[in-house]
Amino acid sequence: MMARPQASAPASLLRAWLLALLLALCAAPAMAHKPSDSYLSLTVNGQQVDGQWDIALRDLDMAIGLDADGNGALTWNEVRAKHGDIAAYALSRLKLAVRDGGACPLIVTTHLLDDHSDGAYAVLKLQARCPVDVSTLDVDYALLFDIDPQHKGLLRLENGALTSTAIFAPDSAHQSLQVAGASRWRQFFDYVRHGVWHIWIGFDHILFLLSLLLPAVLVWRDGAWHGGAGLRAAVIDVLKIVTAFTLAHSITLSLATLGVLALPSRLVESAIAASVALAALNNIWPLFQRRRALAAFAFGLIHGFGFASVLLDLGLPASSLLLSLVGFNAGVELGQLCIVALFLPLAFAARNSLFYRKAVLHGGSALILVIALLWLAERALNLKILP
C-alpha cells in the first residue's frame, strides 16, 4: 500500500498560520462589536482642572455590580443608588498631578447619563485644584485594567484653543502631557493613533475587509474557485478593493464628523452587519464576484458612518478640525494596510491548496456569515444573543 504524501513542514506551518489568523479575527468579535472604551475630557485653566468622564454602564456593572435585581436591565434608580460606589471606584483609578508640583485631588460634582453609539454611559463631572499652574499634567489611569486588559481610556486635554489627546492602555497607564504649547503635529499623530486603534478593534470592519480579500488570490472559473496565476493580479485586485473602500468611507466619515449628514446609530450598525454578511456570502455563493470593488465602495459609505461614531464620541478640537480628521482617516488606512500586509502573502502562498479554498475561503466565510447574521439580529431587533 502506498503511503499518503505528507505535507511539507513549510506548507503545514503556512496552514497553521492562516487558520490561526482566521480564527483570531473571527472568534474575537463574538464577544461584542466594540471593545471597552471610556472617554475622559479635561480642561485646564491655570491651577483649575475641570473634566467629564464617560464610562459605559455595562463596564461599571461588570466592575462593581449595578443590576440590583439581576434581571439584566439597568434602570435609573439602580444607577442612582450606586452613585457613591461609582464615584469611589472611578476616582480610585484616576490620579492627576502637576510635574514637580504635587497631586491634584479629584472630586465628582455631578452624575449624569448619556447615550453613545454603543450604549448607555455614566457621565461623571470632575473638578480638581492643583497646587500650582499646570504646564505638564501627569495622568495615572487604571480603570478596568485589572478585569479587562483590552480596555482603553481615550483622553482629550484642552487648554484654551489648544487640544491634545492620549490613549491609555495597561502598557501606557502613566503619561505626562504637555498642557502649554501642544504641537499641532502632536495632535495629528495622536489622531493617527486613534485611527489605527479603531480599525484594529473594529472587528466588523475587519471581517468585511477580510471577506472581500479572501478571493483576491483566486479566480472564479467554470463554477469553482481556482488559484490565481500570479501575485501581480492579486495585488491589483486588493488595491482596487482597498482604494474603493477607503474613498467611500472617507467621504461619509468627513460628512458625518462635520455634521453635514447623520444617520441613526442602530441603522448604521445594522447596515454594517448586513454588509459583512453579504461579503461573506459572496465567497460561498458568488453574487457580485466581478464587482467586489464596487461593493466595497457601496458598503464603505455605510462603514464611514461607523468610523465617525468614535470621533464624535471622542470629540474633535475646533481649532484643528481638518488636521485631526485627516490624521484619524490616515490612521484607519494604516491599520487596513497592516491587515493587508499580514494577510496577502499568506493567502497567496496557500492559494492553490484545497485547504485554502475549503477551510479558509468557504469555512472562514461561513463562520463570518454566522457571526454577521447574529450581529444583524442583535442590532436590528435590539436583542442580546452573543455572550
Side-chain angles (χ1 to χ4, degrees), residues 46 75 99 105 118 134 143 189 216:
T75 66
R99 175 67 59 86
D118 59 327
V134 181
L143 185 74
F189 286 113

Side-chain angles (χ1 to χ4, degrees), residues 46-116:
Q47 296 176 242
Q48 183 72 23
V49 180
D50 296 297
Q52 177 175 311
W53 199 358
D54 292 22
I55 307 172
L57 289 183
R58 62 177 181 275
D59 290 337
L60 289 170
D61 186 37
M62 179 173 60
I64 60 175
L66 302 180
D67 188 8
D69 56 16
N71 67 353
L74 291 175
T75 66
W76 168 242
N77 286 334
E78 288 175 324
V79 175
R80 184 171 54 187
K82 290 285 189 174
H83 278 175
D85 294 336
I86 292 172
Y89 175 75
L91 295 183
S92 70
R93 284 156 175 78
L94 179 65
K95 305 297 180 185
L96 306 181
V98 180
R99 175 67 59 86
D100 301 325
C104 308
L106 279 162
I107 61 170
V108 175
T109 61
T110 307
H111 291 264
L112 300 170
L113 288 178
D114 193 13
D115 285 323
H116 286 240

Side-chain angles (χ1 to χ4, degrees), residues 25-44:
L25 290 174
C26 292
M31 295 301 293
H33 159 53
K34 184 175 179 294
S36 169
D37 293 330
S38 81
Y39 302 92
L40 177 62
S41 299
L42 298 175
T43 301
V44 176

Side-chain angles (χ1 to χ4, degrees), residues 219-226 282-286 289-290 357-358 361-362:
V219 292
W220 180 258
R221 187 174 63 247
D222 301 327
W225 291 107
H226 302 273
N282 182 62
N283 297 336
I284 303 170
W285 181 26
Q289 175 50 32
R290 298 184 182 277
R357 295 195 299 273
K358 296 298 183 182
L361 179 68
H362 287 161

Side-chain angles (χ1 to χ4, degrees), residues 292-354:
R292 284 183 299 120
L294 183 60
F297 182 86
F299 291 127
L301 294 172
I302 297 296
H303 283 249
F305 287 103
F307 289 134
S309 67
V310 72
L311 274 184
L312 295 174
D313 283 339
L314 181 60
L316 281 171
S319 60
S320 55
L321 182 63
L322 181 60
L323 196 64
S324 302
L325 181 57
V326 171
F328 182 84
N329 204 44
V332 169
E333 307 324 315
L334 286 174
Q336 289 181 168
L337 290 177
C338 290
I339 295 169
V340 170
L342 176 64
F343 169 79
L344 185 58
L346 295 174
F348 183 77
R351 72 194 186 283
N352 290 315
S353 68
L354 188 63

Side-chain angles (χ1 to χ4, degrees), residues 266 373-386:
R266 179 180 292 185
L373 290 176
L374 290 174
W375 275 338
L376 180 58
E378 285 191 331
R379 299 173 188 183
L381 304 176
N382 197 26
L383 301 176
K384 184 62 178 176
I385 301 173
L386 296 172

